[in-house]
Amino acid sequence: MTAASMLAEARKSLGMSGRPNAITKEYAARHGDEFLKASWCDMAITYWARHSGNAAAVLPAGDRAYTPWHAEDFQKAGRWHTGTTAQVDAAEPGDIVFFDWGSSNSISAIDHVGVVEKALGGGRVQTIEGNTSDACKRRVRGADVIAGYGRPDYSGDDWTEAIVNKLPQVGKGDTGEGVETVQGLLLARSHPEVAVNGRFDDATEAAVKAVQKWGGVTADGIVGRDTWPVLLRVH
């Protein structure tokens, strides 16, 4: 996971306009057709994070389309920075920046979101934003409209990568200690219907798919390199 890959993915969307579009269609496929023509600024962040391999860092609680909830996710993770001029000057490429057109720093009042491409000084940042005038564009924004920003833990997968490289891929029909580990983590994820029996049964597969959907990875029911990190993020 890197800020550079997040920004590279965002730049691919520059010039996209109108809705439904590729971003809203993909989000709607997972969460319902009501998102096809909905405001898509945070759906864009979700799309870029998932397509760049940064879902775990950028989406601490999974897919988001509603900006206040996304900001709250960063706040709960201890990775929220209020939009004062000094804090905005400390923003870094890849930070997820949230806006309130009413010029408050209140998370509940957030209207819009983008990703920081670079800090410009003087309380200003250059951003890439989806759904700005119903298009994906670069913008320059100032602290007066920045409620704050979340700093994704782009390096946060370092410890999980070492662990994941040693963990097996398991799926329907498998048995053994790897399956027991999955089932224990599912119980920690509030899936009491799962029994720790070492058999990857229907209940285990259904719970894995639910956690995968929550974590913003492909919901195929197979626990591999993309899914182990989601299971290991137990709060």
Side-chain angles (χ1 to χ4, degrees), residues 144-156:
D144 57 326
V145 296
I146 295 174
Y149 58 89
R151 174 152 297 160
D153 187 8
Y154 289 113
S155 63

Side-chain angles (χ1 to χ4, degrees), residues 7 11 91-94 115-121 124-127:
L7 287 167
R11 291 179 187 119
E92 298 178 356
V115 59
V116 174
E117 193 168 27
K118 58 183 174 180
L120 302 174
R124 299 176 308 133
V125 290
Q126 178 176 302
T127 64

Side-chain angles (χ1 to χ4, degrees), residues 1-98:
M1 295 188 289
T2 66
S5 61
M6 179 69 178
L7 287 167
E9 191 62 41
R11 291 179 187 119
K12 293 178 185 178
S13 296
L14 287 168
M16 178 185 290
S17 63
R19 62 185 108 163
N21 55 47
I23 289 170
T24 66
K25 288 176 182 177
E26 182 173 292
Y27 199 95
R30 292 192 302 276
H31 300 287
D33 287 349
E34 65 269 25
F35 290 100
L36 281 170
K37 294 186 177 181
S39 297
W40 51 282
C41 58
D42 216 357
M43 283 190 259
I45 299 294
T46 295
Y47 182 94
W48 300 332
R50 288 169 61 96
H51 281 257
S52 63
N54 288 297
V58 175
L59 307 170
D63 289 5
R64 285 301 188 207
Y66 183 53
T67 49
W69 288 355
H70 197 171
E72 286 174 357
D73 295 340
F74 283 113
Q75 186 181 53
K76 290 173 183 176
R79 306 192 70 82
W80 177 252
H81 301 265
T82 304
T84 63
T85 297
Q87 291 278 30
V88 171
D89 284 343
E92 298 178 356
D95 285 343
I96 308 303
V97 59
F98 296 83

Side-chain angles (χ1 to χ4, degrees), residues 101-227:
W101 306 139
S103 299
S104 83
N105 288 338
S106 171
I107 285 178
S108 63
I110 287 170
D111 301 300
H112 186 58
V113 64
V115 59
V116 174
E117 193 168 27
K118 58 183 174 180
L120 302 174
R124 299 176 308 133
V125 290
Q126 178 176 302
T127 64
I128 299 175
E129 302 167 18
N131 196 40
T132 177
S133 301
D134 204 24
C136 180
K137 301 179 180 182
R138 283 189 171 94
R139 295 291 196 189
V140 173
R141 305 289 192 186
D144 57 326
V145 296
I146 295 174
Y149 58 89
R151 174 152 297 160
D153 187 8
Y154 289 113
S155 63
D157 66 334
D158 291 348
W159 66 274
T160 56
E161 184 174 0
I163 295 173
V164 168
N165 286 339
K166 299 178 182 179
L167 292 171
Q169 176 174 295
V170 293
K172 186 71 176 293
D174 288 336
T175 60
E177 292 183 4
V179 177
E180 289 182 358
T181 299
V182 169
Q183 291 168 332
L185 291 168
L186 288 169
L187 286 174
R189 281 286 184 197
S190 299
H191 285 278
E193 73 278 10
V194 174
V196 183
N197 56 23
R199 298 190 302 275
F200 205 114
D201 51 21
D202 289 340
T204 302
E205 183 181 46
V208 166
K209 287 182 177 179
V211 170
Q212 287 174 324
K213 185 176 180 180
W214 176 90
V217 299
T218 302
D220 57 8
I222 298 171
V223 180
R225 288 182 58 85
D226 291 337
T227 302

